């Protein structure tokens, strides 16, 4: 049995708490919101995961130092816009070599840093790892078979995390490619917005498949240029996560995209989804990364123009369809 602190009590932190509790570990969950802790203590249910019962011996606390004290493993599960502030607040309580598994997805807009880079900057004493893949909290909370990949600097840490999370309903693979795993997870949210927009416009499965396929092509080109491994983008945290995010109504990025495709503005869509739509933040970061690394990302460009420059969604699709003729893969020649 391991002692685990879950830092962040959103839907993903709570679903992982249930999984890790099922695996026999001792769980303390921290939230920045005292009212959320009170509700969890009283109701043993998270408002966005109805029907997922939280066991009586799971601890909920608003005291960050207590949640981190003497833990074998910390899971950092706050939305990416709070990753830096939360990691900063964790610093005084973090011990040397503390394993911190980041499960959020995003890129910091102002610095273009990945989340593990931010955590390493704020917690230089920690052993920072990641866990990512096609894994909606609503399904993990209901114990539906799910697969993920964990990335860590050492094989030993990756295999430790694998052992902690693995269960008959949650299969975990290991990888040394932290960067590739993080880029896949962050950038797929931008493509999910595009997939939602296409749905909102009333387009069909052909359009969706085109966005998924050409979307992973853009993500992989940028990711490889930045130092990620091509194989990672063909794996669970790459194409796997992109498929689930573009296909599922659990995806808030896709749901926001549908509303935009139906004619709502970005702000109206964000307000209606009621949750953080990370793809909106990642879209700007992705475009700047594309410029910095000189990688063409036409879908990312069009999503940015629709979100931030008021371009009608149907016009964006037309532009994608009428781009200059090109080959499918630059590496293949006659
Ligand atoms: N939900 C999923 O299915 C899922 C799956 C895999 C990965 N993720 C990733 O996990 C991360 C968290 O997602 P989520 O679905 O749990 O998000 P969420 O929208 O449910 O998170 C909201 C939570 O953020 C926390 N919060 C609010 N204000 C805060 C603050 N100022 N500082 C710190 N924490 C604060 C609160 O606990 C709140 O409940 C995201 O990066 C997401 O991409 C989510």
């Amino acid at each position: 049995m391991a002692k685990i602190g879950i830092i962040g009590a959103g839907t993903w932190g709570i679903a992982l708490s249930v999984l890790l509790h099922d695996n026999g570990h001792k769980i303390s969950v921290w939230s920045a919101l005292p009212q959320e802790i009170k509700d969890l203590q009283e109701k043993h249910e998270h408002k966005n995961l109805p029907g997922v019962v939280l066991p009586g011996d799971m601890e909920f606390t608003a005291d960050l130092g207590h949640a981190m004290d003497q833990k074998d493993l910390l899971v950092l599960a706050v939305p990416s816009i709070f990753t830096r502030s939360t990691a900063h607040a964790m610093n005084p309580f973090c011990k040397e070599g503390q394993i911190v598994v980041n499960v959020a997805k995003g890129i910091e807009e102002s610095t273009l840093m990945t989340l593990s880079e931010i955590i390493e900057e704020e917690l230089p004493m920690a052993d920072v790892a990641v866990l990512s893949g096609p894994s909606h909290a609503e399904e993990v909370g209901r114990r539906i078979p799910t697969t993920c990949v964990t990335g860590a600097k050492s094989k030993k840490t990756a295999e430790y995390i694998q052992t902690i999370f693995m269960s008959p309903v949650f299969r975990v693979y290991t990888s040394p490619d932290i960067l590739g795993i993080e880029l896949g997870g962050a950038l797929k949210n931008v493509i999910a917005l595009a997939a939602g927009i296409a749905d909102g416009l009333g387009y069909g499965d052909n359009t969706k498949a085109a966005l998924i396929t050409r979307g992973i092509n853009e993500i992989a080109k940028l990711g490889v240029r930045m130092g990620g491994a091509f194989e990672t983008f063909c794996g669970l945290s790459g194409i796997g996560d992109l498929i689930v995010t573009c296909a599922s109504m659990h995806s808030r990025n896709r749901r926001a995209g549908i509303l935009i495709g139906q004619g709502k503005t970005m702000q109206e869509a964000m307000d209606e989804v009621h949750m953080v739509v990370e793809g909106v933040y990642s879209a700007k970061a992705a475009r700047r990364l594309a410029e910095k690394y000189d990688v063409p990302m036409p879908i990312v460009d069009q999503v940015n123009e629709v979100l931030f420059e008021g371009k009608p969604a149907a016009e964006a699709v037309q532009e994608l369809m009428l781009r200059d003729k090109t080959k499918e893969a630059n590496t293949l020649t006659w």
Side-chain angles (χ1 to χ4, degrees):
M1 182 194 73
K3 287 189 235 132
I4 300 176
I6 309 285
I7 310 302
T11 53
W12 192 218
I14 293 297
L16 287 175
S17 306
V18 171
L19 166 82
L20 293 167
H21 184 276
D22 281 355
N23 286 2
H25 304 301
K26 190 168 173 355
I27 308 298
S28 304
V29 181
W30 171 87
S31 170
L33 313 177
Q35 183 59 44
E36 185 166 57
I37 290 298
K38 202 161 167 279
D39 289 347
L40 289 166
Q41 283 165 341
E42 283 170 14
K43 299 182 185 144
H44 288 274
E45 196 181 71
H46 188 281
K47 64 178 185 343
N48 291 331
L49 285 177
V52 177
V53 179
L54 305 178
D57 61 346
M58 201 182 265
E59 183 184 52
F60 302 102
T61 176
D63 180 341
L64 185 56
H66 179 71
M68 292 175 62
D69 189 37
Q70 314 260 329
K71 295 301 185 291
D72 300 302
L73 188 115
L74 296 175
V75 177
L76 186 45
V78 294
S80 56
I81 45 167
F82 304 126
T83 299
R84 186 180 287 283
S85 56
T86 306
H88 187 77
M90 289 164 71
N91 182 293
F93 313 109
C94 192
K95 63 184 186 215
E96 197 61 42
Q98 172 70 65
I99 298 177
V100 178
V101 187
N102 172 53
V103 297
K105 296 169 183 172
I107 293 170
E108 193 172 52
E109 209 187 301
S110 55
T111 61
L112 299 182
M113 286 166 83
T114 63
L115 302 185
S116 72
E117 287 167 351
I118 293 170
I119 300 164
E120 278 182 349
E121 194 169 273
E122 298 293 340
L123 299 173
M125 68 298 266
D127 182 4
V128 181
V130 297
L131 178 83
S132 189
S135 51
H136 285 304
E138 293 80 353
E139 297 187 4
V140 171
R142 284 163 47 215
R143 299 171 177 83
I144 287 176
T146 299
T147 51
C148 275
V149 57
T150 181
K153 275 192 234 115
S154 75
K155 187 165 175 260
K156 187 168 160 241
T157 299
E159 288 179 351
Y160 177 71
I161 295 166
Q162 180 182 44
T163 305
I164 294 276
F165 280 84
M166 274 278 275
S167 86
V169 292
F170 199 83
R171 183 168 173 77
V172 181
Y173 294 81
T174 57
S175 165
D177 185 19
I178 297 179
L179 178 65
I181 291 172
E182 288 200 290
L183 290 174
L187 298 172
K188 56 103 199 191
N189 284 333
V190 187
I191 307 299
L193 276 167
I197 290 171
D199 285 332
L201 284 165
Y203 297 154
D205 297 338
N206 297 351
T207 324
K208 178 77 63 67
L211 285 168
I212 292 174
T213 316
R214 295 309 302 174
I216 196 67
N217 189 284
E218 285 183 24
I219 292 172
K221 272 189 195 144
L222 175 68
V224 168
R225 184 72 61 86
M226 289 175 68
F230 180 74
E231 294 85 336
T232 304
F233 300 101
C234 305
L236 293 168
S237 58
I239 187 73
D241 205 0
L242 185 58
I243 291 171
V244 83
T245 312
C246 290
S248 171
M249 275 317 273
H250 293 313
S251 164
R252 60 191 82 166
N253 292 284
R254 178 176 171 232
R255 277 188 280 138
I258 291 174
L259 294 169
I260 293 167
Q262 288 169 344
K264 299 240 157 83
T265 64
M266 179 192 76
Q267 196 50 53
E268 286 165 348
M270 296 237 296
D271 292 346
E272 203 164 319
V273 170
H274 283 312
M275 287 161 122
V276 178
V277 181
E278 286 173 318
V280 169
Y281 303 100
S282 302
K284 274 190 186 165
R287 192 180 214 183
R288 286 184 49 214
L289 283 171
E291 280 161 15
K292 181 172 170 188
Y293 288 90
D294 195 20
V295 175
M297 298 189 81
I299 302 173
V300 166
D301 284 341
Q302 293 299 332
V303 170
N304 272 279
E305 288 182 33
V306 171
L307 291 181
F308 306 113
E309 293 162 30
K311 182 188 258 191
E315 207 177 292
V317 176
Q318 269 307 291
E319 274 196 35
L320 285 172
M321 295 302 287
L322 294 173
R323 284 173 60 232
D324 284 349
K325 291 186 246 173
T326 185
K327 299 187 277 188
E328 186 172 42
N330 288 335
T331 44
L332 300 182
T333 49
W334 282 266

